Amino acid sequence: MNPTRNIGIIAHIDAGKTTVSERFLYYSGKEYRMGEVHDGSAHMDWLVEEQERGITITSAATTFEWLDTMVNLIDTPGHVDFTAEVERSLRVLDGAVGVFCGVAGVQAQSETVWRQANHYQVPRIAFINKLDRVGADYFRVVDTIAEDLSCRTLPLNIPVGTESGFRGVIDLISMRQFTFDEESLGADVIETDIEDDLKETADLWRGDLLERIADHDEEVMEQVLEGKEVSEDLLRQAIRRGTLERYWVPVLGGSALGNKGIQPLLDAVIHYLPSPSDVETISGRDPKSGDPVQVQCGEDAPFSGLLFKIQIDSHGELLYMRVYSGSLEKGKTAMNPRTGKRERINSMYRMHANSRENLQVAVAGDIVATTGPRFSNTGDTLCDAKNQVLLEEPVFPETVISMAVEPRSSGDREKLQEVLNRIEREDPTFRIEVNRETGQFVMSGMGELHLEVIRNRLERDFKVNANIGKPRVAYRQMVVREGSASVRLERQMGGKDHFGEVQITLAPTKSDEEGVSVVQWEGGPPAIPPEWRQALEDTVNSCLTGGGELGFPFIRVQARIQLPPVSPLTTEMGLIVAASDAFQRAHKKAGDLLLEPLMAFQVTTPEDYFGAVHQDLVRRRAQIEKVDMVQELRKIEGRVPLAEVFGYTTALRSLSQGRAGVSLEPVGFAQAPEEVAERFRY
């Protein structure tokens, strides 16, 4: 078995991910003191913004050893505005630990990160945290995980004591009781026989564990049927097989802040989550033909790696890479098949949050940070020049909110543009455009907090003098029907005669295709110079992103370009101007439809305030899909237009005397009411 684990910590905000990570570092000996989120001393939350807010904003990587195994750990954010950090981390990780609050159980962002892990087929362990809190219920949360996340849970331990009386766990594999010495901050684990009053409960759960494993594993089934005692090694092997197949999710409990239950969780990470050698092949594409290929993993195969994160700080750019096959030495070059350029690796580091350890070589299974590549972006593949492949890129959601920003003086404009471009390169869910009419920069992101953090970075980290407007909704538009227009242009421009004839057809695509619109050639690419073809495609793409009458970028639109037989008089400029004119005419025939971003919401409120909260949601055009009771709290779920929930957290506090909470997550776009669309028509 490869002595490496590449794992991530995923969860809803405030479930305790970073606190779990800090305990991992302390008990493994990586850090000599415990970092705490609440006082800003967490090693993994190293950004000033993270320390002030007490939340994780950017995923942080670190490495430590446990049971003679090297663990590469990525601590991910829990706030939905920074979901891209979770997405790109899960793309390169082999396993994950899902952290759940012992009181709240499965929350809105718990479901989101679980879906992301399902998409990348990542095996998981669940850790039920905060079992020392009032209202914590381990067994209820186990059932909730199984029901709400549609997975088979496999409890491997059960708690000793409840709420403030929680003091340890019973391991159902070894049938031993573990408590954690408070004077050593839980570092000393005390192993004893199971207390008499807990033996019956432990035996019941042990029997349930054996039954579930035997139903899936023939070796364990044989031992059980023959009445033999199933060995710990055999149980662990069976649990590992089922976990790697994603047949079940092992569940453990504890309290990270209370320093209880972390060592058994670390043991489970080593015993049950996959190593890089458990992944024999990964999917990719041939850069030339686009055909799917399977890349052999392992150190003996040709080199391939995926750049999954770019981090910009005062020292420059760091590009994080997961090596899937072969090896790469410092100072060598690798091919980027997307750009066709060779990239030199000037240096490589093993990261610990924001500190670095120099490396000379990275091998299959490593997660490293590099400097040097100049033409590569997030999602790009670096590989051996003689064995080129494109690995699957992480997929990021559309932005839903925007904010105008402009320099305070003409001298600041160049610096502002440079900084915004750097942030856009670093953050795949941040977009920057220039408003053609006002000359303002318009920055778009995933939510109010996302843009607020970027605004603070502009002022604090980059010292940019800028005026920043209020957040506004990032609407989109699509066409209603198919529309086609042909333009024949004969015009003198710049003292030269230009000729071009182009037909543009716009048509709506399927409603489930939320991404950018597509540009295609009717009947295949024409017989014109490649640079002319590229210029025509760029022109149509610019029309799609620039918006039409409503002024918003198009989504779910197919734009088809068709050229008649090209005349000897045809010029590149003539084609470009004709294409732009044809697009506008086709757009008028196809009609406009305004789309507004929707947010999935989950509101929890005491029963006393349910009526007022429900009425307020209806007033905000919310579609309420589900109402449940969870521990004397009403949980309301549904969808609501983003435009209706700016500042909603403050309004909800006012309605409930601060006792209700809400989480919001972008879920795509829907047709806006006509009265909303009318505001943007000329």
Side-chain angles (χ1 to χ4, degrees):
M1 189 187 301
N2 189 314
T4 302
R5 298 290 181 275
N6 294 317
I7 67 164
I9 308 287
I10 58 175
H12 184 88
I13 190 170
D14 286 338
K17 297 179 305 303
T18 301
T19 306
V20 170
S21 300
E22 293 294 328
R23 273 34 179 194
F24 280 4
L25 297 177
Y26 181 74
Y27 295 137
S28 66
K30 180 76 174 185
E31 291 291 347
Y32 66 90
R33 66 170 178 81
M34 281 187 185
E36 300 292 3
V37 174
H38 58 81
D39 63 11
S41 64
H43 302 94
M44 302 300 281
D45 285 349
W46 56 273
L47 288 176
V48 175
E49 196 80 21
E50 294 177 315
Q51 293 168 356
E52 289 181 352
R53 294 177 182 273
I55 63 170
T56 302
I57 291 171
T58 181
S59 55
T62 189
T63 305
F64 62 89
E65 286 191 21
W66 188 260
L67 297 183
D68 298 323
T69 301
M70 180 72 74
V71 180
N72 293 314
L73 172 71
I74 297 182
D75 176 28
T76 67
H79 197 288
V80 67
D81 282 15
F82 310 107
T83 189
E85 294 288 330
V86 185
E87 189 80 31
R88 59 184 172 189
S89 299
L90 285 171
R91 168 62 187 85
V92 298
L93 292 170
D94 300 318
V97 176
V99 180
F100 298 87
C101 174
V103 180
V106 176
Q107 297 166 276
Q109 189 67 2
S110 312
E111 297 179 18
T112 301
V113 298
W114 208 259
R115 284 198 305 271
Q116 290 171 305
N118 286 339
H119 175 74
Y120 293 112
Q121 300 182 359
V122 177
R124 275 143 283 172
I125 289 173
F127 179 67
I128 300 176
N129 193 24
K130 303 185 181 182
L131 291 182
D132 51 359
R133 294 280 184 90
V134 174
D137 187 334
Y138 176 81
F139 302 108
R140 175 180 57 80
V141 177
V142 168
D143 291 340
T144 305
I145 293 172
E147 181 180 343
D148 291 357
L149 303 180
S150 302
C151 63
R152 297 180 184 88
T153 50
L154 190 72
L156 302 186
N157 62 25
I158 58 173
V160 176
T162 58
E163 299 183 345
S164 60
F166 172 70
R167 58 189 188 280
V169 295
I170 293 172
D171 178 26
L172 299 176
I173 309 277
S174 63
M175 290 300 283
R176 301 286 289 168
Q177 182 170 311
F178 296 97
T179 52
F180 304 87
D181 178 54
E182 292 187 8
E183 289 188 10
S184 65
L185 298 178
D188 294 334
V189 182
I190 302 164
E191 180 181 343
T192 61
D193 292 334
I194 299 171
E195 295 172 12
D196 291 340
D197 60 338
L198 294 173
K199 279 184 179 178
E200 184 178 349
T201 302
D203 287 339
L204 284 172
W205 281 96
R206 163 77 174 193
D208 182 69
L209 176 71
L210 287 175
E211 185 178 323
R212 294 187 191 200
I213 296 174
D215 284 345
H216 179 257
D217 192 276
E218 290 185 4
E219 287 187 65
V220 175
M221 174 69 82
E222 288 178 10
Q223 298 280 317
V224 171
L225 290 177
E226 292 173 9
K228 296 180 180 177
E229 183 67 29
V230 184
S231 69
E232 291 182 30
D233 284 344
L234 182 58
L235 275 179
R236 289 199 177 100
Q237 290 169 18
I239 294 168
R240 178 179 174 79
R241 284 192 290 269
T243 306
L244 298 194
E245 294 168 14
R246 295 182 297 114
Y247 180 79
W248 51 47
V249 176
V251 183
L252 300 97
S255 169
L257 192 61
N259 307 318
K260 297 177 178 68
I262 300 300
Q263 292 92 333
L265 176 61
L266 275 168
D267 291 346
V269 165
I270 307 304
H271 289 316
Y272 309 125
L273 289 182
S275 71
S277 59
D278 289 312
V279 183
E280 296 180 358
T281 63
I282 55 167
S283 299
R285 288 182 291 114
D286 184 291
K288 294 180 180 177
S289 67
D291 295 335
V293 296
Q294 289 296 312
V295 179
Q296 293 292 324
C297 298
E299 294 183 31
D300 298 331
F303 167 72
S304 68
L306 184 74
L307 297 173
F308 67 96
K309 177 181 169 72
I310 296 175
Q311 179 179 306
I312 299 174
D313 57 22
S314 56
H315 303 291
E317 278 190 2
L318 275 179
L319 292 88
Y320 285 74
M321 176 173 62
R322 162 70 191 265
V323 181
Y324 280 99
S325 61
S327 61
L328 182 64
E329 293 181 33
K330 172 184 172 181
K332 300 291 186 181
T333 62
M335 175 63 72
N336 182 331
R338 181 184 65 83
T339 62
K341 296 181 182 293
R342 285 182 174 271
E343 297 279 27
R344 180 180 173 83
I345 306 300
N346 294 333
S347 55
M348 285 191 295
Y349 306 101
R350 198 180 300 283
M351 297 299 295
H352 176 46
N354 62 334
S355 61
R356 313 174 182 186
E357 174 191 340
N358 278 297
L359 286 177
Q360 294 300 314
V361 62
V363 300
D366 281 346
I367 293 178
V368 298
T370 68
T371 64
R374 298 171 54 203
F375 307 102
S376 298
N377 292 318
T378 298
D380 279 354
T381 301
L382 294 183
C383 60
D384 181 74
K386 296 179 181 178
N387 298 272
Q388 295 188 32
V389 66
L390 285 168
L391 301 177
E392 180 191 358
E393 302 175 19
V395 179
F396 302 109
E398 279 279 306
T399 58
V400 297
I401 190 171
S402 61
M403 182 185 285
V405 55
E406 59 185 9
R408 289 180 186 160
S409 69
S410 57
D412 291 325
R413 185 174 183 85
E414 190 173 324
K415 181 180 180 182
L416 175 61
Q417 179 149 22
E418 179 190 347
V419 169
L420 289 172
N421 289 339
R422 288 177 68 187
I423 296 174
E424 186 177 34
R425 176 164 163 73
E426 179 184 44
D427 185 346
T429 55
F430 176 73
R431 298 282 182 272
I432 187 70
E433 296 172 357
V434 179
N435 187 297
R436 296 177 184 176
E437 297 175 0
T438 65
Q440 289 179 317
F441 295 105
V442 178
M443 52 186 194
S444 302
M446 298 306 300
E448 291 180 82
L449 180 60
H450 185 198
L451 292 186
E452 187 180 334
V453 167
I454 289 173
R455 181 183 65 190
N456 291 346
R457 287 189 66 192
L458 287 174
E459 295 172 348
R460 182 182 353 211
D461 299 345
F462 296 105
K463 310 292 189 234
V464 173
N465 295 315
N467 296 318
I468 299 171
K470 293 182 179 180
R472 61 188 186 190
V473 177
Y475 291 96
R476 296 291 186 269
Q477 62 181 328
M478 65 178 291
V479 296
V480 181
R481 66 191 75 85
E482 184 169 308
S484 184
S486 182
V487 170
R488 177 188 175 95
L489 177 129
E490 294 180 63
R491 189 183 301 171
Q492 193 175 68
M493 293 179 284
K496 294 182 180 179
D497 291 329
H498 291 279
F499 178 84
E501 188 173 357
V502 179
Q503 178 176 306
I504 302 289
T505 302
L506 301 179
T509 60
K510 296 177 182 177
S511 61
D512 58 350
E513 295 178 8
E514 299 285 4
V516 293
S517 301
V518 293
V519 177
Q520 298 176 335
W521 289 94
E522 194 96 63
I528 57 175
E531 59 269 24
W532 290 19
R533 288 202 302 267
Q534 187 61 53
L536 273 171
E537 290 178 15
D538 290 346
T539 298
V540 176
N541 269 315
S542 178
C543 291
L544 286 167
T545 56
E549 181 184 344
L550 296 174
F552 299 106
F554 287 91
I555 61 172
R556 307 177 192 163
V557 174
Q558 179 191 67
R560 302 195 298 270
I561 312 172
Q562 186 174 13
L563 299 186
V566 178
S567 162
L569 301 175
T570 300
T571 62
E572 179 181 355
M573 181 57 69
L575 289 174
I576 289 173
V577 175
S580 180
D581 194 7
F583 184 96
Q584 302 307 329
R585 296 186 188 186
H587 177 211
K588 286 185 177 179
K589 293 181 180 179
D592 262 322
L593 197 64
L594 182 69
L595 302 174
E596 60 181 356
L598 292 182
M599 307 294 284
F601 68 85
Q602 187 181 92
V603 174
T604 52
T605 176
E607 181 68 30
D608 293 348
Y609 309 103
F610 172 73
V613 170
H614 185 278
Q615 188 176 2
D616 183 62
L617 284 169
V618 171
R619 183 181 61 80
R620 295 173 185 269
R621 296 196 284 128
Q623 302 170 17
I624 295 173
E625 299 168 349
K626 187 178 178 184
V627 179
D628 284 334
M629 283 292 294
V630 179
Q631 275 208 319
E632 300 177 359
L633 290 175
R634 287 273 196 165
K635 185 165 76 170
I636 313 168
E637 297 180 29
R639 300 185 177 203
V640 63
L642 171 62
E644 301 291 342
V645 286
F646 276 152
Y648 180 62
T649 302
T650 304
L652 183 64
R653 287 197 193 108
S654 176
L655 283 172
S656 63
Q657 297 183 3
R659 296 174 63 192
V662 63
S663 61
L664 297 160
E665 176 194 356
V667 287
F669 294 82
Q671 181 178 348
E674 187 57 33
E675 60 267 23
V676 176
E678 283 299 323
R679 299 178 204 159
F680 303 102
R681 298 194 190 279
Y682 296 118

